[in-house]
Amino acid sequence: MSQTERTFIAVKPDGVQRGLVSQILSRFEKRGYKLVGIKMLNASEELLTQHYAEHVGKPFFPKMVSFMMSGPIVATVWEGKDVVKQGRTILGATNPLSSAPGTIRGDFGIDLGRNVCHGSDSVESAEREINLWFKSEELTSWESNQSKWIYE
């Protein structure tokens, strides 16, 4: 398989509290993407400040970090062809009210501040975010028996 990439997808505290983790993970599995890292954690302020570095100093930043620290997060890494772009499509628009039905945010969200998931927005962001949230030994390389049925 050529041009395989990885992306970082996090189920935010609202998604965890609402019991949506398995439904969110299943959307990526059903599409054919391979899970190579997963963990549940309570994110520290330091980790979140690094993760959302481009938003430091913006008016919404303190509220966003506080929300992300309000409960557990399920952090995942997915692998596959065009997974960064396709992952964003699976999630839907950042604002759930602008998300199409059938997307995660379109099906499960209403408010921008409770949009259920985070997904990397570029290959470069994915690499940075994966390295923030996971140690290399926490990621698994494995060959899926289904890959011949998903990829030419």
Side-chain angles (χ1 to χ4, degrees):
M1 177 175 53
S2 63
Q3 298 180 336
T4 295
E5 59 190 36
R6 287 182 171 180
T7 195
F8 175 76
I9 303 292
V11 182
K12 295 178 178 181
D14 54 327
V16 173
Q17 290 289 340
R18 293 177 57 200
L20 300 174
V21 174
S22 63
Q23 292 183 66
I24 292 165
L25 298 182
S26 74
R27 302 257 182 130
F28 286 85
E29 286 183 322
K30 287 176 185 176
R31 181 69 188 261
Y33 291 114
K34 182 171 61 172
L35 183 64
V36 296
I38 185 168
K39 63 182 171 179
M40 178 181 258
L41 70 154
N42 291 303
S44 68
E45 186 172 359
E46 178 184 352
L47 173 60
L48 293 167
T49 299
Q50 290 175 347
H51 179 83
Y52 290 115
E54 70 273 16
H55 299 302
V56 171
K58 293 181 181 173
F60 62 85
F61 182 77
K63 185 177 177 183
M64 179 175 63
V65 169
S66 177
F67 166 68
M68 292 295 286
M69 292 175 57
S70 69
I73 294 169
V74 174
T76 65
V77 179
W78 294 89
E79 185 177 278
K81 186 176 183 180
D82 202 30
V83 70
V84 173
K85 180 181 172 195
Q86 298 307 317
R88 298 283 292 184
T89 300
I90 292 166
L91 293 180
T94 303
N95 184 341
L97 292 178
S98 300
S99 291
T103 65
I104 290 168
R105 292 174 176 147
D107 289 349
F108 301 126
I110 293 175
D111 232 353
L112 178 61
R114 300 291 183 268
N115 68 359
V116 183
C117 288
H118 165 84
S120 301
D121 63 6
S122 69
V123 173
E124 297 76 24
S125 292
E127 188 175 316
R128 183 182 71 79
E129 292 169 356
I130 290 166
N131 289 328
L132 278 174
W133 291 80
F134 288 87
K135 299 174 189 162
S136 61
E137 62 268 16
E138 294 176 312
L139 300 175
T140 304
S141 290
W142 61 285
E143 197 58 44
S144 170
N145 292 328
Q146 296 181 39
S147 64
K148 69 180 180 181
W149 302 109
I150 296 169
Y151 296 100
E152 289 185 79

